Amino acid sequence: TGTVMNNNVVVRPNDYGVIMRSAPNALIRHLSVFDSPRSGVQVDNQFSCAHSARACTRPEGHRAVVPTLILLDTLIVSPGGRGLAIAHRDEFSSVEVDTLHLFDDGDRGVSGVQDGDVLEVTRGDPGMHGCYVYVPDDSPLRGAGRDLARIHL
């Protein structure tokens, strides 16, 4: 079992593009995040006690979680914080980041990773020319979005 995010686009969220907390076997694949005020992707162990300065208690029913993360084919454009931020990395059993593309991130890049976690990070204009999502002309979803003014086709 695990958390899977597949083929997601996040445009101008209120906070992080995606926040993944205490997720064993997390897989994020084909994610695009545009204009997040904080990090594009934030991953942590929500119930970590290792870094707490005060007495640490987990909510009743929560057990110690050993998170894992696989992040594949991700585009992050104009995050207010890091492109990818991982907290409590030493508590993860594994992290794999493959093909993370960053643009307009103020060179803040990636934080909290260990050697070998990141296989490929590229930088540069993704050439989307103001588009967030491509919807083919013959798709039944073309024009089906709410508040079309916010979706650039």
Side-chain angles (χ1 to χ4, degrees), residues 104-134:
D104 193 26
D105 69 327
D107 292 323
R108 289 181 293 273
V110 177
S111 69
V113 296
Q114 296 176 355
D115 287 343
D117 286 350
V118 180
L119 302 178
E120 182 180 5
V121 174
T122 59
R123 290 183 177 276
D125 188 341
M128 297 185 72
H129 309 290
C131 293
Y132 294 131
V133 180
Y134 172 73

PDB file of all heavy atoms in Angstrom, residues 104-134:
ATOM      1  N   ASP A 104      12.999  29.199 -12.843  1.00  0.00           N
ATOM      2  CA  ASP A 104      12.674  30.420 -12.112  1.00  0.00           C
ATOM      3  C   ASP A 104      12.501  30.142 -10.616  1.00  0.00           C
ATOM      4  O   ASP A 104      11.552  30.591  -9.990  1.00  0.00           O
ATOM      5  CB  ASP A 104      11.411  31.057 -12.708  1.00  0.00           C
ATOM      6  CG  ASP A 104      11.182  32.480 -12.210  1.00  0.00           C
ATOM      7  OD1 ASP A 104      12.170  33.143 -11.834  1.00  0.00           O
ATOM      8  OD2 ASP A 104      10.012  32.906 -12.173  1.00  0.00           O
ATOM      9  N   ASP A 105      13.437  29.386 -10.058  1.00  0.00           N
ATOM     10  CA  ASP A 105      13.364  29.032  -8.633  1.00  0.00           C
ATOM     11  C   ASP A 105      14.359  29.826  -7.794  1.00  0.00           C
ATOM     12  O   ASP A 105      14.574  29.506  -6.627  1.00  0.00           O
ATOM     13  CB  ASP A 105      13.591  27.535  -8.431  1.00  0.00           C
ATOM     14  CG  ASP A 105      15.011  27.107  -8.738  1.00  0.00           C
ATOM     15  OD1 ASP A 105      15.630  27.710  -9.640  1.00  0.00           O
ATOM     16  OD2 ASP A 105      15.503  26.186  -8.085  1.00  0.00           O
ATOM     17  N   GLY A 106      14.958  30.856  -8.370  1.00  0.00           N
ATOM     18  CA  GLY A 106      15.914  31.678  -7.621  1.00  0.00           C
ATOM     19  C   GLY A 106      17.123  30.887  -7.167  1.00  0.00           C
ATOM     20  O   GLY A 106      17.755  31.225  -6.180  1.00  0.00           O
ATOM     21  N   ASP A 107      17.454  29.807  -7.866  1.00  0.00           N
ATOM     22  CA  ASP A 107      18.579  28.932  -7.524  1.00  0.00           C
ATOM     23  C   ASP A 107      18.472  28.351  -6.117  1.00  0.00           C
ATOM     24  O   ASP A 107      19.472  28.036  -5.479  1.00  0.00           O
ATOM     25  CB  ASP A 107      19.922  29.650  -7.697  1.00  0.00           C
ATOM     26  CG  ASP A 107      20.221  29.940  -9.157  1.00  0.00           C
ATOM     27  OD1 ASP A 107      19.879  29.096 -10.003  1.00  0.00           O
ATOM     28  OD2 ASP A 107      20.787  31.009  -9.445  1.00  0.00           O
ATOM     29  N   ARG A 108      17.246  28.236  -5.593  1.00  0.00           N
ATOM     30  CA  ARG A 108      17.050  27.617  -4.276  1.00  0.00           C
ATOM     31  C   ARG A 108      17.056  26.103  -4.383  1.00  0.00           C
ATOM     32  O   ARG A 108      17.369  25.417  -3.432  1.00  0.00           O
ATOM     33  CB  ARG A 108      15.754  28.134  -3.638  1.00  0.00           C
ATOM     34  CG  ARG A 108      15.855  29.588  -3.202  1.00  0.00           C
ATOM     35  CD  ARG A 108      14.577  30.065  -2.563  1.00  0.00           C
ATOM     36  NE  ARG A 108      13.476  30.124  -3.505  1.00  0.00           N
ATOM     37  CZ  ARG A 108      13.196  31.168  -4.288  1.00  0.00           C
ATOM     38  NH1 ARG A 108      13.939  32.240  -4.238  1.00  0.00           N
ATOM     39  NH2 ARG A 108      12.167  31.141  -5.100  1.00  0.00           N
ATOM     40  N   GLY A 109      16.659  25.554  -5.521  1.00  0.00           N
ATOM     41  CA  GLY A 109      16.800  24.150  -5.841  1.00  0.00           C
ATOM     42  C   GLY A 109      16.173  23.166  -4.886  1.00  0.00           C
ATOM     43  O   GLY A 109      14.995  23.212  -4.596  1.00  0.00           O
ATOM     44  N   VAL A 110      17.013  22.278  -4.373  1.00  0.00           N
ATOM     45  CA  VAL A 110      16.580  21.119  -3.598  1.00  0.00           C
ATOM     46  C   VAL A 110      17.257  21.159  -2.238  1.00  0.00           C
ATOM     47  O   VAL A 110      18.431  21.487  -2.141  1.00  0.00           O
ATOM     48  CB  VAL A 110      16.958  19.827  -4.346  1.00  0.00           C
ATOM     49  CG1 VAL A 110      16.606  18.601  -3.558  1.00  0.00           C
ATOM     50  CG2 VAL A 110      16.294  19.785  -5.723  1.00  0.00           C
ATOM     51  N   SER A 111      16.526  20.794  -1.177  1.00  0.00           N
ATOM     52  CA  SER A 111      17.143  20.727   0.147  1.00  0.00           C
ATOM     53  C   SER A 111      16.731  19.437   0.850  1.00  0.00           C
ATOM     54  O   SER A 111      15.683  18.874   0.568  1.00  0.00           O
ATOM     55  CB  SER A 111      16.738  21.928   1.009  1.00  0.00           C
ATOM     56  OG  SER A 111      15.373  21.858   1.352  1.00  0.00           O
ATOM     57  N   GLY A 112      17.582  18.998   1.751  1.00  0.00           N
ATOM     58  CA  GLY A 112      17.281  17.857   2.602  1.00  0.00           C
ATOM     59  C   GLY A 112      17.573  16.502   2.002  1.00  0.00           C
ATOM     60  O   GLY A 112      17.196  15.490   2.574  1.00  0.00           O
ATOM     61  N   VAL A 113      18.240  16.454   0.867  1.00  0.00           N
ATOM     62  CA  VAL A 113      18.530  15.162   0.246  1.00  0.00           C
ATOM     63  C   VAL A 113      19.926  14.685   0.641  1.00  0.00           C
ATOM     64  O   VAL A 113      20.753  15.455   1.106  1.00  0.00           O
ATOM     65  CB  VAL A 113      18.409  15.236  -1.293  1.00  0.00           C
ATOM     66  CG1 VAL A 113      16.976  15.537  -1.703  1.00  0.00           C
ATOM     67  CG2 VAL A 113      19.368  16.247  -1.874  1.00  0.00           C
ATOM     68  N   GLN A 114      20.149  13.403   0.439  1.00  0.00           N
ATOM     69  CA  GLN A 114      21.455  12.812   0.702  1.00  0.00           C
ATOM     70  C   GLN A 114      22.092  12.397  -0.612  1.00  0.00           C
ATOM     71  O   GLN A 114      21.418  12.293  -1.642  1.00  0.00           O
ATOM     72  CB  GLN A 114      21.302  11.581   1.614  1.00  0.00           C
ATOM     73  CG  GLN A 114      20.771  11.907   2.983  1.00  0.00           C
ATOM     74  CD  GLN A 114      20.536  10.658   3.829  1.00  0.00           C
ATOM     75  OE1 GLN A 114      20.677   9.537   3.377  1.00  0.00           O
ATOM     76  NE2 GLN A 114      20.136  10.876   5.077  1.00  0.00           N
ATOM     77  N   ASP A 115      23.405  12.143  -0.596  1.00  0.00           N
ATOM     78  CA  ASP A 115      24.087  11.670  -1.799  1.00  0.00           C
ATOM     79  C   ASP A 115      23.374  10.441  -2.341  1.00  0.00           C
ATOM     80  O   ASP A 115      23.029   9.525  -1.599  1.00  0.00           O
ATOM     81  CB  ASP A 115      25.542  11.307  -1.488  1.00  0.00           C
ATOM     82  CG  ASP A 115      26.404  12.531  -1.258  1.00  0.00           C
ATOM     83  OD1 ASP A 115      25.976  13.641  -1.645  1.00  0.00           O
ATOM     84  OD2 ASP A 115      27.498  12.377  -0.685  1.00  0.00           O
ATOM     85  N   GLY A 116      23.134  10.454  -3.646  1.00  0.00           N
ATOM     86  CA  GLY A 116      22.496   9.321  -4.300  1.00  0.00           C
ATOM     87  C   GLY A 116      20.983   9.417  -4.397  1.00  0.00           C
ATOM     88  O   GLY A 116      20.356   8.652  -5.120  1.00  0.00           O
ATOM     89  N   ASP A 117      20.377  10.366  -3.665  1.00  0.00           N
ATOM     90  CA  ASP A 117      18.918  10.507  -3.725  1.00  0.00           C
ATOM     91  C   ASP A 117      18.451  11.070  -5.064  1.00  0.00           C
ATOM     92  O   ASP A 117      17.401  10.706  -5.570  1.00  0.00           O
ATOM     93  CB  ASP A 117      18.399  11.457  -2.636  1.00  0.00           C
ATOM     94  CG  ASP A 117      18.415  10.868  -1.244  1.00  0.00           C
ATOM     95  OD1 ASP A 117      18.645   9.644  -1.105  1.00  0.00           O
ATOM     96  OD2 ASP A 117      18.202  11.638  -0.283  1.00  0.00           O
ATOM     97  N   VAL A 118      19.216  12.007  -5.614  1.00  0.00           N
ATOM     98  CA  VAL A 118      18.793  12.727  -6.813  1.00  0.00           C
ATOM     99  C   VAL A 118      19.563  12.199  -8.016  1.00  0.00           C
ATOM    100  O   VAL A 118      20.784  12.286  -8.080  1.00  0.00           O
ATOM    101  CB  VAL A 118      19.020  14.248  -6.649  1.00  0.00           C
ATOM    102  CG1 VAL A 118      18.579  14.984  -7.898  1.00  0.00           C
ATOM    103  CG2 VAL A 118      18.273  14.765  -5.429  1.00  0.00           C
ATOM    104  N   LEU A 119      18.815  11.652  -8.974  1.00  0.00           N
ATOM    105  CA  LEU A 119      19.447  11.089 -10.159  1.00  0.00           C
ATOM    106  C   LEU A 119      19.624  12.133 -11.252  1.00  0.00           C
ATOM    107  O   LEU A 119      20.614  12.118 -11.958  1.00  0.00           O
ATOM    108  CB  LEU A 119      18.625   9.909 -10.684  1.00  0.00           C
ATOM    109  CG  LEU A 119      18.430   8.774  -9.676  1.00  0.00           C
ATOM    110  CD1 LEU A 119      17.563   7.682 -10.280  1.00  0.00           C
ATOM    111  CD2 LEU A 119      19.766   8.198  -9.233  1.00  0.00           C
ATOM    112  N   GLU A 120      18.639  13.035 -11.414  1.00  0.00           N
ATOM    113  CA  GLU A 120      18.768  14.051 -12.453  1.00  0.00           C
ATOM    114  C   GLU A 120      17.938  15.279 -12.107  1.00  0.00           C
ATOM    115  O   GLU A 120      16.751  15.186 -11.819  1.00  0.00           O
ATOM    116  CB  GLU A 120      18.299  13.514 -13.808  1.00  0.00           C
ATOM    117  CG  GLU A 120      18.441  14.505 -14.932  1.00  0.00           C
ATOM    118  CD  GLU A 120      17.984  13.969 -16.278  1.00  0.00           C
ATOM    119  OE1 GLU A 120      17.471  12.852 -16.354  1.00  0.00           O
ATOM    120  OE2 GLU A 120      18.145  14.706 -17.256  1.00  0.00           O
ATOM    121  N   VAL A 121      18.593  16.446 -12.136  1.00  0.00           N
ATOM    122  CA  VAL A 121      17.912  17.730 -12.011  1.00  0.00           C
ATOM    123  C   VAL A 121      18.363  18.573 -13.195  1.00  0.00           C
ATOM    124  O   VAL A 121      19.552  18.682 -13.465  1.00  0.00           O
ATOM    125  CB  VAL A 121      18.264  18.455 -10.694  1.00  0.00           C
ATOM    126  CG1 VAL A 121      17.648  19.854 -10.673  1.00  0.00           C
ATOM    127  CG2 VAL A 121      17.802  17.665  -9.493  1.00  0.00           C
ATOM    128  N   THR A 122      17.393  19.145 -13.899  1.00  0.00           N
ATOM    129  CA  THR A 122      17.710  20.034 -15.008  1.00  0.00           C
ATOM    130  C   THR A 122      17.112  21.401 -14.708  1.00  0.00           C
ATOM    131  O   THR A 122      16.212  21.534 -13.891  1.00  0.00           O
ATOM    132  CB  THR A 122      17.158  19.504 -16.345  1.00  0.00           C
ATOM    133  OG1 THR A 122      15.735  19.374 -16.247  1.00  0.00           O
ATOM    134  CG2 THR A 122      17.767  18.159 -16.688  1.00  0.00           C
ATOM    135  N   ARG A 123      17.654  22.410 -15.376  1.00  0.00           N
ATOM    136  CA  ARG A 123      17.169  23.780 -15.199  1.00  0.00           C
ATOM    137  C   ARG A 123      16.996  24.408 -16.569  1.00  0.00           C
ATOM    138  O   ARG A 123      17.680  24.051 -17.507  1.00  0.00           O
ATOM    139  CB  ARG A 123      18.171  24.614 -14.416  1.00  0.00           C
ATOM    140  CG  ARG A 123      18.290  24.225 -12.986  1.00  0.00           C
ATOM    141  CD  ARG A 123      19.268  25.165 -12.269  1.00  0.00           C
ATOM    142  NE  ARG A 123      19.322  24.834 -10.880  1.00  0.00           N
ATOM    143  CZ  ARG A 123      18.472  25.274  -9.961  1.00  0.00           C
ATOM    144  NH1 ARG A 123      17.502  26.068 -10.291  1.00  0.00           N
ATOM    145  NH2 ARG A 123      18.589  24.919  -8.707  1.00  0.00           N
ATOM    146  N   GLY A 124      16.103  25.375 -16.608  1.00  0.00           N
ATOM    147  CA  GLY A 124      15.916  26.140 -17.831  1.00  0.00           C
ATOM    148  C   GLY A 124      14.448  26.308 -18.144  1.00  0.00           C
ATOM    149  O   GLY A 124      13.577  25.664 -17.559  1.00  0.00           O
ATOM    150  N   ASP A 125      14.191  27.217 -19.067  1.00  0.00           N
ATOM    151  CA  ASP A 125      12.827  27.514 -19.491  1.00  0.00           C
ATOM    152  C   ASP A 125      12.225  26.267 -20.135  1.00  0.00           C
ATOM    153  O   ASP A 125      12.765  25.740 -21.102  1.00  0.00           O
ATOM    154  CB  ASP A 125      12.853  28.672 -20.489  1.00  0.00           C
ATOM    155  CG  ASP A 125      11.480  29.182 -20.854  1.00  0.00           C
ATOM    156  OD1 ASP A 125      10.478  28.454 -20.640  1.00  0.00           O
ATOM    157  OD2 ASP A 125      11.396  30.306 -21.365  1.00  0.00           O
ATOM    158  N   PRO A 126      11.098  25.786 -19.606  1.00  0.00           N
ATOM    159  CA  PRO A 126      10.487  24.590 -20.188  1.00  0.00           C
ATOM    160  C   PRO A 126       9.805  24.861 -21.525  1.00  0.00           C
ATOM    161  O   PRO A 126       9.316  23.927 -22.170  1.00  0.00           O
ATOM    162  CB  PRO A 126       9.474  24.144 -19.123  1.00  0.00           C
ATOM    163  CG  PRO A 126       9.131  25.396 -18.387  1.00  0.00           C
ATOM    164  CD  PRO A 126      10.380  26.240 -18.414  1.00  0.00           C
ATOM    165  N   GLY A 127       9.761  26.115 -21.958  1.00  0.00           N
ATOM    166  CA  GLY A 127       9.207  26.437 -23.268  1.00  0.00           C
ATOM    167  C   GLY A 127       7.708  26.238 -23.362  1.00  0.00           C
ATOM    168  O   GLY A 127       7.195  25.862 -24.412  1.00  0.00           O
ATOM    169  N   MET A 128       7.000  26.507 -22.282  1.00  0.00           N
ATOM    170  CA  MET A 128       5.551  26.290 -22.287  1.00  0.00           C
ATOM    171  C   MET A 128       4.799  27.535 -22.763  1.00  0.00           C
ATOM    172  O   MET A 128       3.595  27.490 -22.942  1.00  0.00           O
ATOM    173  CB  MET A 128       5.089  25.840 -20.913  1.00  0.00           C
ATOM    174  CG  MET A 128       5.730  24.504 -20.550  1.00  0.00           C
ATOM    175  SD  MET A 128       5.140  23.827 -19.018  1.00  0.00           S
ATOM    176  CE  MET A 128       3.501  23.330 -19.483  1.00  0.00           C
ATOM    177  N   HIS A 129       5.497  28.654 -22.916  1.00  0.00           N
ATOM    178  CA  HIS A 129       4.924  29.876 -23.489  1.00  0.00           C
ATOM    179  C   HIS A 129       3.620  30.288 -22.814  1.00  0.00           C
ATOM    180  O   HIS A 129       2.635  30.612 -23.469  1.00  0.00           O
ATOM    181  CB  HIS A 129       4.729  29.723 -24.999  1.00  0.00           C
ATOM    182  CG  HIS A 129       5.967  29.252 -25.687  1.00  0.00           C
ATOM    183  ND1 HIS A 129       7.081  30.044 -25.820  1.00  0.00           N
ATOM    184  CD2 HIS A 129       6.287  28.046 -26.220  1.00  0.00           C
ATOM    185  CE1 HIS A 129       8.027  29.363 -26.435  1.00  0.00           C
ATOM    186  NE2 HIS A 129       7.580  28.156 -26.688  1.00  0.00           N
ATOM    187  N   GLY A 130       3.586  30.265 -21.480  1.00  0.00           N
ATOM    188  CA  GLY A 130       2.411  30.695 -20.734  1.00  0.00           C
ATOM    189  C   GLY A 130       1.356  29.620 -20.543  1.00  0.00           C
ATOM    190  O   GLY A 130       0.346  29.857 -19.905  1.00  0.00           O
ATOM    191  N   CYS A 131       1.563  28.437 -21.104  1.00  0.00           N
ATOM    192  CA  CYS A 131       0.574  27.356 -20.960  1.00  0.00           C
ATOM    193  C   CYS A 131       0.841  26.580 -19.676  1.00  0.00           C
ATOM    194  O   CYS A 131       1.987  26.351 -19.304  1.00  0.00           O
ATOM    195  CB  CYS A 131       0.653  26.393 -22.133  1.00  0.00           C
ATOM    196  SG  CYS A 131       0.143  27.112 -23.690  1.00  0.00           S
ATOM    197  N   TYR A 132      -0.187  26.164 -19.004  1.00  0.00           N
ATOM    198  CA  TYR A 132      -0.058  25.301 -17.830  1.00  0.00           C
ATOM    199  C   TYR A 132      -0.395  23.872 -18.179  1.00  0.00           C
ATOM    200  O   TYR A 132       0.182  22.936 -17.664  1.00  0.00           O
ATOM    201  CB  TYR A 132      -0.986  25.765 -16.704  1.00  0.00           C
ATOM    202  CG  TYR A 132      -0.627  27.105 -16.133  1.00  0.00           C
ATOM    203  CD1 TYR A 132      -1.604  28.078 -15.983  1.00  0.00           C
ATOM    204  CD2 TYR A 132       0.660  27.412 -15.746  1.00  0.00           C
ATOM    205  CE1 TYR A 132      -1.304  29.322 -15.467  1.00  0.00           C
ATOM    206  CE2 TYR A 132       0.970  28.643 -15.231  1.00  0.00           C
ATOM    207  CZ  TYR A 132      -0.003  29.598 -15.083  1.00  0.00           C
ATOM    208  OH  TYR A 132       0.298  30.818 -14.573  1.00  0.00           O
ATOM    209  N   VAL A 133      -1.397  23.709 -19.021  1.00  0.00           N
ATOM    210  CA  VAL A 133      -1.888  22.377 -19.359  1.00  0.00           C
ATOM    211  C   VAL A 133      -2.165  22.336 -20.850  1.00  0.00           C
ATOM    212  O   VAL A 133      -2.761  23.268 -21.401  1.00  0.00           O
ATOM    213  CB  VAL A 133      -3.195  22.054 -18.597  1.00  0.00           C
ATOM    214  CG1 VAL A 133      -3.702  20.677 -18.935  1.00  0.00           C
ATOM    215  CG2 VAL A 133      -2.998  22.196 -17.104  1.00  0.00           C
ATOM    216  N   TYR A 134      -1.767  21.272 -21.498  1.00  0.00           N
ATOM    217  CA  TYR A 134      -2.124  21.091 -22.901  1.00  0.00           C
ATOM    218  C   TYR A 134      -3.315  20.154 -22.973  1.00  0.00           C
ATOM    219  O   TYR A 134      -3.270  19.028 -22.471  1.00  0.00           O
ATOM    220  CB  TYR A 134      -0.953  20.506 -23.692  1.00  0.00           C
ATOM    221  CG  TYR A 134      -1.362  20.134 -25.085  1.00  0.00           C
ATOM    222  CD1 TYR A 134      -1.607  21.123 -26.035  1.00  0.00           C
ATOM    223  CD2 TYR A 134      -1.543  18.810 -25.446  1.00  0.00           C
ATOM    224  CE1 TYR A 134      -2.005  20.792 -27.309  1.00  0.00           C
ATOM    225  CE2 TYR A 134      -1.942  18.477 -26.715  1.00  0.00           C
ATOM    226  CZ  TYR A 134      -2.173  19.470 -27.650  1.00  0.00           C
ATOM    227  OH  TYR A 134      -2.581  19.140 -28.901  1.00  0.00           O
TER     228      TYR A 134
END
